[in-house]
């Protein structure tokens, strides 16, 4: 499915968090605060979006319900002179559910479950026990797209590394990768923003954070 919504979509990956820097599994964990570097990345995103959109743009705001996404959004909105409290929150935009691996350190899992990480793609090779797989992410973000297709004009969506890659893959009509069961867009560093318009993606701002996992 290539998204043909009228208007532009700015899809942003949140800034670096304390779990990221500690190399801990974050997934759909609700509240992992930004680091100072994460704040700086959000500032850079806000400045880049202001240069594109100007102050007080007419923009529908959407965010994952996770605290790190909302914290990133709040900083961006300072630059845009918008009220981040007006953002619509949706659990369908959260990161991959990590199940029993939630909060675990990557180093420990590398000993316990060798080969669980596909280093080429920056994705997992198997579903976490009790967790989510990429086809499930594709289903929920596709549901969100269908329910919000009537959004007017431009919108900003703040979400996560893996889930945003699946959303971008769905929106740009990429083929399903059999080993992941979903379309997967290229990895971008934390603090990046892409612009998708009529199914075509361009990088609006390339972040300075880490790429791929840890999620």
């Amino acid at each position: 499915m290539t998204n043909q919504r009228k208007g532009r979509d700015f899809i942003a990956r949140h800034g670096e968090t304390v779990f990221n820097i500690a190399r801990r599994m974050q997934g759909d964990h609700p509240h992992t605060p930004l680091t100072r570097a994460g704040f700086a990345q959000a500032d850079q995103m806000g400045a880049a979006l202001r240069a594109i959109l100007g102050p007080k743009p007419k923009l529908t705001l959407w965010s994952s319900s996770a605290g790190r996404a909302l914290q990133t959004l709040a900083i961006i909105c300072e630059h845009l002179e918008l009220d981040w409290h007006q953002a619509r929150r949706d659990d369908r935009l959260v990161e991959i559910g990590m199940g029993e691996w939630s909060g675990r350190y990557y180093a420990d899992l590398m000993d316990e479950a060798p080969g669980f990480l596909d280093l080429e793609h920056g994705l997992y090779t198997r579903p976490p026990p009790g967790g989510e797989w990429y086809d499930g992410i594709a289903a929920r973000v596709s549901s969100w797209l269908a329910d919000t297709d009537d959004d007017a004009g431009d919108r900003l969506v703040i979400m996560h590394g893996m889930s945003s890659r699946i959303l971008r893959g769905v929106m740009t009509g990429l083929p399903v990768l059999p080993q992941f069961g979903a379309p997967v867009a290229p990895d971008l560093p934390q603090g990046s923003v892409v612009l998708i318009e009529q199914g075509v993606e361009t990088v609006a701002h390339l972040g300075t954070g880490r790429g791929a996992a840890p999620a």
Side-chain angles (χ1 to χ4, degrees), residues 35-79:
T35 62
R36 290 296 179 183
F39 274 99
Q41 291 156 13
D43 268 324
Q44 292 160 6
M45 283 190 279
L49 286 167
R50 184 181 176 109
I52 296 168
L53 298 167
K56 299 181 179 179
K58 292 183 178 179
L59 197 63
T60 303
L61 302 173
W62 282 96
S63 179
S64 156
S65 53
R68 58 194 184 275
L70 292 165
Q71 199 173 13
T72 300
L73 175 64
I75 296 166
I76 291 173
C77 283
E78 288 183 12
H79 290 267

Side-chain angles (χ1 to χ4, degrees), residues 11-211:
I11 313 294
R13 182 181 179 187
H14 67 76
E16 179 189 80
T17 73
V18 295
F19 268 42
N20 293 142
I21 199 68
R23 295 190 62 80
R24 292 180 66 183
M25 288 281 191
Q26 195 162 217
D28 57 350
H29 196 285
H31 301 303
T32 49
L34 300 184
T35 62
R36 290 296 179 183
F39 274 99
Q41 291 156 13
D43 268 324
Q44 292 160 6
M45 283 190 279
L49 286 167
R50 184 181 176 109
I52 296 168
L53 298 167
K56 299 181 179 179
K58 292 183 178 179
L59 197 63
T60 303
L61 302 173
W62 282 96
S63 179
S64 156
S65 53
R68 58 194 184 275
L70 292 165
Q71 199 173 13
T72 300
L73 175 64
I75 296 166
I76 291 173
C77 283
E78 288 183 12
H79 290 267
L80 299 178
E81 300 179 40
L82 298 176
D83 180 5
W84 72 272
H85 291 94
Q86 300 301 314
R88 305 175 190 181
R89 309 177 190 187
D90 201 302
D91 288 340
R92 290 173 291 183
L93 300 174
V94 301
E95 186 57 296
I96 185 172
M98 296 310 303
E100 294 177 15
W101 289 356
S102 182
R104 299 289 307 281
Y105 287 91
Y106 270 70
D108 293 339
L109 284 171
M110 286 176 181
D111 292 334
E112 295 175 21
F116 79 93
L117 192 60
D118 181 329
L119 296 175
E120 177 186 356
H121 295 93
L123 299 171
Y124 303 120
T125 60
R126 68 196 78 163
E132 186 177 30
W133 194 232
Y134 297 107
D135 57 351
I137 298 176
R140 60 176 162 88
V141 298
S142 295
S143 171
W144 175 80
L145 284 169
D147 288 350
T148 63
D149 193 55
D150 291 335
D151 281 353
D154 295 341
R155 63 184 179 185
L156 172 63
V157 185
I158 312 293
M159 47 192 306
H160 308 268
M162 291 189 184
S163 60
S164 68
R165 292 177 66 186
I166 306 302
L167 174 65
R168 291 163 47 216
V170 170
M171 292 180 71
T172 57
L174 294 180
V176 171
L177 295 180
Q179 68 269 45
F180 303 117
V184 185
D187 183 45
L188 291 171
Q190 289 165 331
S192 295
V193 185
V194 301
L195 164 61
I196 298 179
E197 185 172 14
Q198 295 295 298
V200 178
E201 176 180 281
T202 56
V203 177
H205 173 72
L206 188 64
T208 58
R210 70 176 70 230

